[in-house]
Amino acid sequence: ISANTEDRVNAVTSLEKMRLPILFLASKNNHLTLMTLLLQLGADADLRNSSGFTTIQILFSDAMFERGDISCRVGLLLGWGATFIDGDEWRHSLSRARKWGYHKLADLFESELGGRRCEIVNHSSRPDLNGKTCVVDEYLPSSNLYKVTLETKSKDELVLSPDNLKRRDRTPQDCGYYVEF
């Protein structure tokens, strides 16, 4: 086999099995470590199956909600830049999440930076935070602020304005952490 790493981490099943990306198979079976390894090696978080669905879209199906909590898998994909559904399908997916009791997850998706990895910028009262990365945990709509967790050893939680956050998706070159074995 002469396939390179990127081809391997973006492998898909046969057409008879809907050309499911390996990342989806890891996600479907709740293998967070395998998902992380695939993404660190360059797997495309938005690779589509033969029906045109991405892994994150498939996770928002009734069948996946029935299998259990998808929040960690969705959060992982969002941090790596996975895009979400637009328009009617997006609203339907949020409604489905609420129907299954995933209100916090649905609320997160309704905000622009929900679940995303971001860089702190233009923070004048705490310039030491500028350039640090964080993950957006919650949108506070009444104040238009975000609750974030710093990607530091201390994992400090802060509340920041959207003006102080710039989306900075994980990439194989800037993943913020490595899973090694």
Side-chain angles (χ1 to χ4, degrees):
I1 297 177
S2 63
N4 65 33
T5 302
E6 192 172 319
D7 290 339
R8 290 178 184 183
V9 297
N10 286 310
V12 295
T13 61
S14 66
L15 186 56
E16 295 81 25
K17 302 248 184 210
M18 295 187 61
R19 299 188 55 80
L20 295 172
I22 192 170
L23 181 61
F24 169 72
L25 296 175
S27 180
K28 174 184 175 202
N29 293 297
N30 204 18
H31 294 297
L32 291 171
T33 302
L34 179 56
M35 289 175 66
T36 301
L37 285 169
L38 291 168
L39 291 161
Q40 286 176 349
L41 291 170
D44 180 354
D46 285 327
L47 194 61
R48 297 177 181 276
N49 70 4
S50 62
S51 297
F53 294 109
T54 65
T55 297
I56 206 163
Q57 287 175 294
I58 297 169
L59 282 175
F60 272 78
S61 68
D62 284 328
M64 293 308 298
F65 281 123
E66 197 170 90
R67 292 178 65 134
D69 192 355
I70 64 167
S71 301
C72 289
R73 292 171 277 172
V74 169
L76 180 63
L77 291 167
L78 286 174
W80 283 85
T83 54
F84 198 59
I85 312 153
D86 295 337
D88 291 338
E89 180 63 24
W90 177 74
R91 283 185 287 285
H92 182 67
S93 293
L94 293 180
S95 173
R96 187 179 301 126
R98 288 192 200 310
K99 178 183 97 176
W100 282 93
Y102 294 96
H103 301 285
K104 186 175 179 182
L105 183 63
D107 291 344
L108 199 58
F109 271 106
E110 287 184 314
S111 65
E112 179 185 351
L113 298 173
R116 300 290 182 181
R117 180 184 193 224
C118 293
E119 179 179 346
I120 299 172
V121 296
N122 305 320
H123 201 294
S124 56
S125 63
R126 292 274 317 268
D128 59 306
L129 293 175
N130 291 329
K132 297 212 182 309
T133 55
C134 61
V135 175
V136 175
D137 298 316
E138 186 177 352
Y139 177 62
L140 308 169
S142 61
S143 58
N144 190 32
L145 297 172
Y146 288 98
K147 181 178 164 190
V148 303
T149 301
L150 289 178
E151 287 190 322
T152 59
K153 196 174 192 175
S154 65
K155 303 276 188 210
D156 292 334
E157 290 186 349
L158 305 168
V159 176
L160 298 171
S161 162
D163 296 334
N164 297 119
L165 295 170
K166 177 180 152 192
R167 189 169 151 182
R168 182 171 155 189
D169 296 335
R170 297 182 195 284
T171 66
Q173 296 76 31
D174 178 25
C175 58
Y177 62 93
Y178 289 95
V179 173
E180 298 182 78
F181 57 95

